[in-house]
Amino acid sequence: MNKREKGAQKEEQVCACLRSEGVKIVERNFHNRQGEIDMIGYDGGYLVFFEVKYRSGKSKGSAAEAVGFAKQRKICRVADYYRVIHHCSEDTPIRFDVVAVDGEKMEWIKNAFSYIV
């Protein structure tokens, strides 16, 4: 299994886990010219933009550490585009979560980062 297939498999597991926690996934692999958001869904009253990161080992650091400032800014820009084309109200509460998968350990980090202009 190559890296892309392994990543897709882990993303599928994360999606199933989020659904079991009550998250309504409305979009997967949403992208535009500026980047991609792995999953978009509703958790309670929040519109949540999920970044899923997988690391098989610690040689490149933890999965959560891989979501740095540049990646966060890119996710925010793509989220802005999503909100515009789906006519989301400015009053819609949003959240940026990271689901970090290190080996077989999965950690859902709610509100992992704030909106970046």
Side-chain angles (χ1 to χ4, degrees):
M1 183 178 306
N2 66 33
K3 285 183 180 184
R4 182 166 290 208
E5 292 169 335
K6 186 70 167 178
Q9 178 188 49
K10 291 297 179 183
E11 197 171 290
E12 192 62 42
Q13 290 173 347
V14 167
C15 188
C17 179
L18 291 172
R19 284 185 172 134
S20 75
E21 293 289 330
V23 175
K24 180 183 176 196
I25 303 295
V26 295
E27 191 92 39
R28 291 185 59 186
N29 302 313
F30 177 81
H31 63 276
N32 66 9
R33 293 187 325 215
Q34 297 191 7
E36 178 187 29
I37 296 176
D38 294 324
M39 287 179 224
I40 302 169
Y42 287 92
D43 182 31
Y46 285 89
L47 174 60
V48 185
F49 300 93
F50 294 94
E51 175 65 11
V52 179
K53 277 295 177 196
Y54 169 71
R55 292 287 185 261
S56 59
K58 295 284 185 183
S59 65
K60 294 183 180 179
S62 74
E65 293 170 340
V67 187
F69 180 80
K71 182 67 172 175
Q72 293 172 16
R73 184 173 52 204
K74 191 177 284 193
I75 291 168
C76 290
R77 288 180 180 160
V78 179
D80 285 343
Y81 178 74
Y82 178 88
R83 292 167 59 204
V84 167
I85 67 169
H86 287 88
H87 309 290
C88 295
S89 165
E90 287 188 25
D91 296 334
T92 302
I94 64 169
R95 199 172 73 210
F96 298 95
D97 292 3
V98 172
V99 181
V101 183
D102 289 294
E104 295 302 315
K105 181 182 171 224
M106 186 182 313
E107 180 183 12
W108 178 8
I109 306 165
K110 293 182 180 183
N111 207 22
F113 59 92
S114 298
Y115 177 82
I116 299 168
V117 178

